[in-house]
Amino acid sequence: MNAATVLVVDDSAPKRYLLVNWLTRAGFTVREAETGGEALRVLPGSGIDLVVLDVKLPDMSGFDVCERIKTDPAYAALPVVHVSAHAVDVNDRTQGLNRGADAYLVEPIEPDELIATCQAVLRYYSARRRAEFLAARLVRLAEATLAINLASTLPALLEAAAAGAYDIFGGPVVVLAETADGDSLAAVGSPPVIRPWSLSERNAAIGSLVRTDQPADWDVADWPEGDEVAVAATRLRIDRPSVYVAVRSSSQTPGFPVLRQLSQAVAAAVEAQRSYDEEHRIAITLQRSLLQSSLPSLPGVQTAVRYMPAGSQTEVGGDFYEVTMLDGQLLVAIGDVAGHSLHAATVMAEVRHAVRAYAVEGHPPGTVLALVNRFMRRVLPADSATVCLLVLDPVTGRVRMAGAGHLPPLLHTADGVTFLQPGGALLGINAPRPDDLEFVLPRGGTLVLYTDGLVERRDEDIDVGLAALRRVAAEVDPDLEDFCDRLLLRLGAAGQADDDVAVVALRRG
């Protein structure tokens, strides 16, 4: 406390000598000024911690000097103690305190009273500065926590954490965590850079702790010479590695409260992201296991399929496709069961197998869908699905097609692009079904069946997506695999769509 620097402002040399002498003997560093103007000129860059200010000065009153100090944002937190041998009544003291002074001493002043008053005022302002400093850090911590929790991937999360740590503490920063695949990633510096880097794991217990490491242990960053590294390590589960936030030790306050809270926020977000990534991977694996794994090879007919899970879903979806040879005919189906859940995936599997089972019996597409609809209404009365089903004779190109509430298939021929309208209500409701749509797929003609994730967006009408599909499909690549990839890329469905995407393309050679 006594290492503080005090500015004594008084035009009386004898009185100033006494004040300086008392404060110096008490351990303060003291500077002097004779006038208010001189005092105001001394303040910038001086490192003054306290002003002892006479009320009666030759150029302006001490009240005015104090008010100018307190209304300047740069010095508003600078404590001021008035001393006076003239302005000594209640009104004077009231005016001094009302205009910003922190204490008011009336001469004659005892040395001990002056020292005790200065120390008390400095203690208060020291505590106030610590509280304001901590409050400012907590505000930045809240902002950083929000950014961390808004991140959609682990690298983005680590970048947000490192940026937040730099904003709070300044200087070199390292945020270290492990991915769901066991890879160790570090976000380093400002702006943060993601790079592979690992730290020798210690036997950390579950919980949060802050320790001091040597810079050599964290050589992924450049640390100031002579400084150590404050490392907050948080481990939420015994089967998970710790998450680390490393900053300069000199940036820390006693107890490391903000660093500890930041590391806990990062660890919680990393755990949520890891769980999401694991669930997403399991969901995709399950979804693909329910879909057809290979396509039949058929002379004269090219086929290609694509399935892309929704970029924002961890649950399995209800999209499916089927491409199968039955008695020399190519059976093609595409469908979508409402919902994203394990139940939706289960219904999807049942509908797909029901379509195949009824088709094996030799029924035409419309009858197959009618039978599947009856099956769903009896066995799955709370569910619904859309399906488009066709059979193609690869020799003649003859197609029979039936629909159940599904989006219109796209037909590309030498005459241009058209959307077919097989009609039909979705599966799961009691409604009459139209006759099958029959046509001939000419040689070189291409059919595209798809689910709504290819063309539907939350902020657009479905007609906008269909028009975009028509434009993209106006030209068909010689290789259907390339064509399907281009559809997904140009229509923004390459892993970023709001819904799952299934596409089946077939061309008669």
Side-chain angles (χ1 to χ4, degrees):
M1 182 72 70
N2 290 357
T5 299
V6 179
L7 174 64
V8 174
V9 186
D10 200 306
D11 62 326
S12 169
K15 190 171 115 183
R16 195 168 64 249
Y17 171 80
L18 284 177
L19 295 174
V20 170
N21 184 265
W22 293 343
L23 291 167
T24 301
R25 283 190 299 166
F28 292 102
T29 300
V30 183
R31 297 188 62 175
E32 303 176 45
E34 293 186 28
T35 66
E38 183 184 355
L40 295 174
R41 289 192 296 273
V42 166
L43 286 180
S46 63
I48 299 296
D49 300 299
L50 171 68
V51 178
V52 176
L53 178 63
D54 188 18
V55 171
K56 185 176 175 60
L57 296 171
D59 56 340
M60 65 180 75
S61 76
F63 298 146
D64 292 335
V65 175
C66 179
E67 189 170 46
R68 289 180 61 176
I69 291 173
K70 293 294 186 175
T71 55
D72 188 333
Y75 309 110
L78 181 64
V80 175
V81 175
H82 273 317
V83 292
S84 179
H86 305 283
V88 297
D89 63 22
V90 172
N91 291 333
D92 293 324
R93 292 195 298 270
T94 300
Q95 181 183 183
L97 295 173
N98 284 339
R99 295 179 70 177
D102 299 278
Y104 199 108
L105 298 178
V106 175
E107 297 184 29
I109 305 170
E110 292 294 329
D112 290 344
E113 181 185 11
L114 173 67
I115 302 305
T117 300
C118 290
Q119 289 176 337
V121 169
L122 285 169
R123 278 197 304 272
Y124 166 77
Y125 271 89
S126 177
R128 174 180 165 178
R129 281 192 293 270
R130 286 196 301 270
E132 291 174 345
F133 181 69
L134 180 59
R137 282 193 165 182
L138 288 174
V139 169
R140 292 194 289 270
L141 172 64
E143 295 170 347
T145 301
L146 177 61
I148 289 166
N149 286 301
L150 287 176
S152 58
T153 65
L154 183 61
L157 188 160
L158 297 179
E159 288 180 354
Y166 184 86
D167 186 43
I168 296 169
F169 303 114
V173 170
V174 180
V175 180
L176 180 65
E178 192 173 286
T179 70
D181 296 322
D183 300 322
S184 187
L185 295 179
V188 183
S190 178
V193 175
I194 300 294
R195 55 178 295 184
W197 188 77
S198 59
L199 181 72
S200 298
E201 183 66 43
R202 306 186 182 188
N203 293 325
I206 293 178
S208 179
L209 61 87
V210 179
R211 66 174 189 253
T212 300
D213 285 358
Q214 294 303 310
D217 299 327
W218 292 82
D219 58 2
V220 70
D222 295 324
W223 303 95
E225 186 175 353
D227 207 345
E228 293 181 312
V229 183
V231 180
T234 300
R235 190 174 192 179
L236 300 182
R237 290 169 42 176
I238 194 64
D239 60 334
R240 299 285 203 229
S242 297
V243 172
Y244 300 92
V245 179
V247 297
R248 296 174 299 125
S249 288
S250 59
S251 68
Q252 296 305 295
T253 55
F256 311 100
V258 178
L259 179 60
R260 190 187 301 272
Q261 288 185 51
L262 177 61
S263 105
Q264 291 169 354
V266 175
V270 167
E271 176 59 28
Q273 185 64 53
R274 282 172 58 99
S275 297
Y276 173 88
D277 291 342
E278 290 172 352
E279 291 173 11
H280 193 54
R281 182 170 54 190
I282 292 169
I284 292 174
T285 301
L286 176 58
Q287 179 79 42
R288 295 191 185 280
S289 72
L290 296 172
L291 296 172
Q292 191 173 354
S293 59
S294 62
L295 300 181
S297 177
L298 181 62
V301 177
Q302 297 179 44
T303 57
V305 299
R306 290 291 183 274
Y307 170 75
M308 296 294 296
S312 61
Q313 295 284 349
T314 59
E315 300 92 348
V316 290
D319 290 23
F320 71 92
Y321 59 84
E322 181 70 38
V323 182
T324 303
M325 286 299 298
L326 293 176
D327 300 326
Q329 304 280 303
L330 182 65
L331 173 77
V332 179
I334 195 164
D336 186 2
V337 173
H340 277 85
S341 64
L342 183 58
H343 175 75
T346 303
V347 174
M348 175 268 284
E350 294 193 60
V351 171
R352 177 183 164 221
H353 292 313
V355 168
R356 286 202 300 177
Y358 290 124
V360 166
E361 293 180 354
H363 302 294
T367 303
V368 170
L369 293 185
L371 292 169
V372 175
N373 187 57
R374 184 179 66 179
F375 163 78
M376 286 189 65
R377 293 186 63 228
R378 291 182 179 179
V379 179
L380 303 164
D383 296 292
S384 62
T386 67
V387 176
C388 183
L389 174 66
L390 67 87
V391 290
L392 166 69
D393 185 331
V395 177
T396 65
R398 183 176 178 81
V399 177
R400 291 190 66 170
M401 178 184 290
H406 203 76
L407 289 168
L410 180 141
L411 174 62
H412 178 280
T413 66
D415 296 328
V417 176
T418 57
F419 284 108
L420 305 176
Q421 302 292 339
L426 67 124
L427 300 181
I429 65 173
N430 185 19
R433 302 211 164 267
D435 295 334
D436 290 353
L437 176 67
E438 299 187 45
F439 62 96
V440 174
L441 178 64
R443 294 192 181 277
T446 301
L447 265 174
V448 182
L449 287 71
Y450 52 93
T451 57
D452 54 3
L454 183 69
V455 294
E456 189 173 36
R457 300 294 177 264
R458 293 177 182 175
D459 56 348
E460 293 179 345
D461 188 85
I462 187 66
D463 290 338
V464 176
L466 291 174
L469 173 60
R470 180 190 289 272
R471 288 194 300 271
V472 175
E475 180 182 351
V476 178
D477 302 74
D479 188 313
L480 281 188
E481 300 289 344
D482 294 339
F483 177 57
C484 288
D485 289 338
R486 186 162 60 84
L487 286 181
L488 294 175
L489 181 63
R490 292 283 300 277
L491 295 174
Q496 301 301 319
D498 299 326
D499 198 359
D500 299 338
V501 179
V503 177
V504 178
L506 60 118
R507 174 188 298 147
R508 187 174 173 224

